[in-house]
Every structure is written in structure tokens, then in C-alpha cells.
């Protein structure tokens, strides 16, 4: 089963996305922040897809992507946002 890490601070959006992904047969670990997900983001943990909101409490989704990419362990990633700025969008694209 494919394993998805979902980072979304809005509880309704997080629950809705997690339910949709589970309905599609994916294993989902959903968190409100990168700090909550820290144990799941450790080296050696299998992540088939990272679905991360741009704006999160604490470290942002962009900061997380930058960190994982810098360590050479960025999984396939989708960055989402309901209110990203142009600069955040450009940064997400630049990071791949």
C-alpha cells in the first residue's frame, strides 16, 4: 500500500483530504504541522508521497521541502495552498 504523509493545519481540510486518499486505497498519516510529523519524516521512513500545505504553524511546507531536498531525501511531493503568495509559488516550483 502506498504511504502518504499529509501536512495540513486546517482540521476540516486535513480530514477531508485524508478521507479521500484513504478511499483511494492509500495509507495516510495526517498532521497539522511539520513538528507533529517529525517522527514520520525521519531518514529511513518510507514516504511514497508528501502532500504539504505551504503555510503551516512552525516550519512551513516550503521550508520542509527545502530541508528534505537539501538532504537528498525529498519524496515525490505536492505542495498545496489556499492562499499562497507568488513568491511562495515560485519557491515551490524552484524546489521541484
Amino acid at each position: 500500500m502506498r504511504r502518504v504523509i499529509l501536512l495540513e493545519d486546517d482540521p476540516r481540510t486535513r480530514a477531508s483530504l485524508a478521507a479521500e486518499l484513504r478511499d483511494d486505497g492509500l495509507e495516510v498519516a495526517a498532521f497539522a504541522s511539520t513538528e507533529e510529523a517529525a517522527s514520520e519524516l525521519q531518514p529511513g521512513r518510507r514516504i511514497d508521497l508528501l502532500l504539504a500545505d505551504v503555510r503551516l504553524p512552525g516550519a512551513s511546507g516550503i521550508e520542509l521541502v527545502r530541508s528534505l531536498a537539501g538532504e537528498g531525501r525529498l519524496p515525490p511531493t505536492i505542495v498545496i495552498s489556499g492562499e499562497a503568495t507568488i513568491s511562495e509559488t515560485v519557491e515551490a516550483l524552484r524546489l521541484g
Side-chain angles (χ1 to χ4, degrees):
M1 180 180 293
R2 299 285 181 188
R3 188 159 181 276
V4 177
I5 301 297
L6 169 61
L7 298 170
E8 169 57 62
D9 60 328
D10 180 75
R12 286 185 184 178
T13 303
R14 184 174 59 250
S16 176
L17 286 171
E20 288 292 325
L21 293 166
R22 287 184 183 113
D23 286 349
D24 286 339
L26 300 168
E27 176 187 338
V28 179
F31 303 95
S33 69
T34 55
E35 288 78 13
E36 281 184 18
S39 65
E40 297 295 323
L41 298 169
Q42 294 300 311
R45 298 291 299 205
R46 190 181 101 244
I47 303 172
D48 296 304
L49 176 66
L50 174 63
L51 185 59
D53 191 3
V54 169
R55 295 187 183 167
L56 295 166
S60 73
I62 297 294
E63 291 168 330
L64 174 62
V65 168
R66 186 181 302 118
S67 173
L68 292 173
E71 295 171 11
R73 55 187 195 91
L74 182 65
T77 301
I78 298 172
V79 178
I80 60 173
S81 182
E83 52 188 57
T85 65
I86 296 294
S87 64
E88 289 167 328
T89 303
V90 169
E91 180 69 6
L93 290 169
R94 189 184 69 72
L95 292 168

